[in-house]
Amino acid sequence: MELAWLSLVCASATQSASSRASGKFIWLLVISQQTFQMCAAIENPASCEVQSFKNGRTNVHDEQRIDDKIRENHRFTVTELSLSFPQISRSLLHEIVTQKLGYHKFGARWVPKILTENHKNQRMAASLTFLETKLQKIMASVFGDRQGVLLIDFLEHGATINSVRYCETLQKVRKAIQNKRRGKLSSEILFLHDNARPHTANPTREVLNAFKWEIFPHPPYSPDLAPSDYHLFLRIKTWLGTQRFDDNAELRAGVTDWLKSQEAEFYDNGITKLVHRYDKCLNLFSEYVEK
């Protein structure tokens, strides 16, 4: 059974695609219901408050002040925050930020727990506007198997991937398999792609059904279970960080050469790791798999 995978590559023709880390964390506020149990002592309220602090509880006003400070600047470290609150230990400060106030470190591969439809629409509109008017990025759909790359399909500037365009690309993929993996079309093809709308639209389903390919289910918000994310992107981002391209044509050629220059073992490892990751996901009761 052959497993084919899909990945998306975005890079700028004038700038390095890997950003330089600033050494700081970005914190994302997760709104949650907080219950603050207030001590009530009629005879000796002061002793109750002292005991509360001994038990690791902080003043609710301190927590509000910390929250206000974070909202002033979401890019901070606990060390920087501790300078504003020297009366609170760094360990307790970290607990307040992450557990009581509900902030979480936000990185490139972290995904939100909840996104409303309105949030999704806003993010999509902002992304399209930014990419089309600011950076003029190039997007490429990359298809491959454990032997290597099958197809690299660059998207024209200003174009978007919809179900019609994706179906056209799938026809190219089938032809690439026919030419590069002779005899594979007559065997069972196991196809892995994410659940983006063009991938799950009815026209796309009809094309894949006509191909008689088995679709491997991919759960939402699961980059840790996608070979393109946990394997391919990490390597290509490192390489892109050392490159500079003068124009789009040079960028396309460079990315194409890099993808084709990787040994079959590189692509095989990416798919082989998927077995370990699904097994670990099961053992972790569906929690994210770090490695």
Side-chain angles (χ1 to χ4, degrees), residues 178-234:
Q178 185 178 18
N179 293 334
K180 297 180 179 181
R181 308 287 188 267
R182 295 189 179 275
K184 294 298 183 182
L185 288 178
S186 59
S187 60
E188 187 175 3
I189 299 292
L190 183 59
F191 189 69
L192 171 62
H193 61 177
D194 62 27
N195 52 4
R197 291 184 179 180
H199 302 170
T200 58
N202 287 333
T204 303
R205 294 178 184 271
E206 293 173 359
V207 169
L208 292 173
N209 287 336
F211 290 170
K212 297 182 179 180
W213 292 356
E214 180 182 352
I215 309 304
F216 191 84
H218 180 74
Y221 303 127
S222 300
D224 57 326
L225 300 177
S228 56
D229 287 291
Y230 67 72
H231 184 70
L232 180 62
F233 284 169
L234 293 178

Side-chain angles (χ1 to χ4, degrees), residues 102-121:
Y103 285 89
H104 295 265
K105 286 186 292 186
F106 184 83
R109 299 311 314 164
W110 288 50
V111 295
K113 293 182 178 179
I114 299 176
L115 278 178
T116 65
E117 286 300 320
N118 184 44
H119 289 157
K120 292 178 182 179
N121 292 335

Side-chain angles (χ1 to χ4, degrees), residues 38-41 44-55 57:
M38 306 299 293
C39 286
N44 191 0
S47 63
C48 180
E49 184 174 352
V50 170
Q51 183 63 36
S52 297
F53 277 90
K54 286 182 178 179
N55 293 335
R57 185 178 180 278

Side-chain angles (χ1 to χ4, degrees), residues 6-261:
L6 159 67
S7 63
L8 298 178
V9 178
C10 283
S12 171
T14 58
Q15 295 183 353
S16 164
S18 68
S19 59
R20 272 67 178 176
S22 64
K24 299 183 178 181
F25 292 118
I26 302 174
W27 295 78
L28 171 67
L29 174 63
V30 178
I31 299 176
S32 59
Q33 194 73 20
Q34 299 288 344
T35 302
F36 299 100
Q37 298 179 349
M38 306 299 293
C39 286
I42 298 177
E43 295 183 356
N44 191 0
S47 63
C48 180
E49 184 174 352
V50 170
Q51 183 63 36
S52 297
F53 277 90
K54 286 182 178 179
N55 293 335
R57 185 178 180 278
T58 57
N59 192 301
V60 65
H61 298 296
D62 284 341
E63 294 174 6
Q64 184 60 54
R65 289 169 54 212
I66 293 171
D67 192 23
D68 293 340
K69 190 68 176 179
I70 293 174
R71 291 176 183 271
E72 293 177 4
N73 178 22
H74 280 255
R75 294 177 177 269
F76 70 94
T77 64
V78 173
T79 299
E80 292 174 339
L81 196 61
S82 66
L83 297 178
S84 301
F85 302 93
Q87 75 279 13
I88 304 176
S89 67
R90 290 173 58 181
S91 60
L92 184 56
L93 193 60
H94 183 270
E95 179 183 338
I96 294 172
V97 171
T98 58
Q99 297 183 22
K100 296 186 177 182
L101 296 181
Y103 285 89
H104 295 265
K105 286 186 292 186
F106 184 83
R109 299 311 314 164
W110 288 50
V111 295
K113 293 182 178 179
I114 299 176
L115 278 178
T116 65
E117 286 300 320
N118 184 44
H119 289 157
K120 292 178 182 179
N121 292 335
Q122 291 179 356
R123 286 165 59 87
M124 181 66 73
S127 299
L128 290 175
T129 300
F130 184 75
L131 293 176
E132 292 177 358
T133 63
K134 301 298 182 183
L135 292 185
Q136 296 186 0
K137 287 190 175 182
I138 296 177
M139 177 175 287
S141 297
V142 182
F143 298 81
D145 60 8
R146 63 193 315 156
Q147 294 180 343
V149 172
L150 290 166
L151 176 70
I152 306 170
D153 187 44
F154 288 98
L155 194 67
E156 300 84 0
H157 176 65
T160 57
I161 298 180
N162 52 30
S163 60
V164 175
R165 173 58 189 265
Y166 190 60
C167 288
E168 293 174 353
T169 303
L170 288 176
Q171 295 290 349
K172 297 179 183 178
V173 175
R174 188 177 188 278
K175 187 174 182 179
I177 296 175
Q178 185 178 18
N179 293 334
K180 297 180 179 181
R181 308 287 188 267
R182 295 189 179 275
K184 294 298 183 182
L185 288 178
S186 59
S187 60
E188 187 175 3
I189 299 292
L190 183 59
F191 189 69
L192 171 62
H193 61 177
D194 62 27
N195 52 4
R197 291 184 179 180
H199 302 170
T200 58
N202 287 333
T204 303
R205 294 178 184 271
E206 293 173 359
V207 169
L208 292 173
N209 287 336
F211 290 170
K212 297 182 179 180
W213 292 356
E214 180 182 352
I215 309 304
F216 191 84
H218 180 74
Y221 303 127
S222 300
D224 57 326
L225 300 177
S228 56
D229 287 291
Y230 67 72
H231 184 70
L232 180 62
F233 284 169
L234 293 178
R235 289 287 296 274
I236 198 170
K237 282 179 63 177
T238 301
W239 173 77
L240 283 170
T242 65
Q243 306 297 309
R244 187 174 184 84
F245 306 98
D246 294 328
D247 53 46
N248 292 342
E250 187 175 328
L251 171 62
R252 291 191 186 95
V255 170
T256 299
D257 290 343
W258 186 90
L259 289 169
K260 291 183 176 180
S261 67

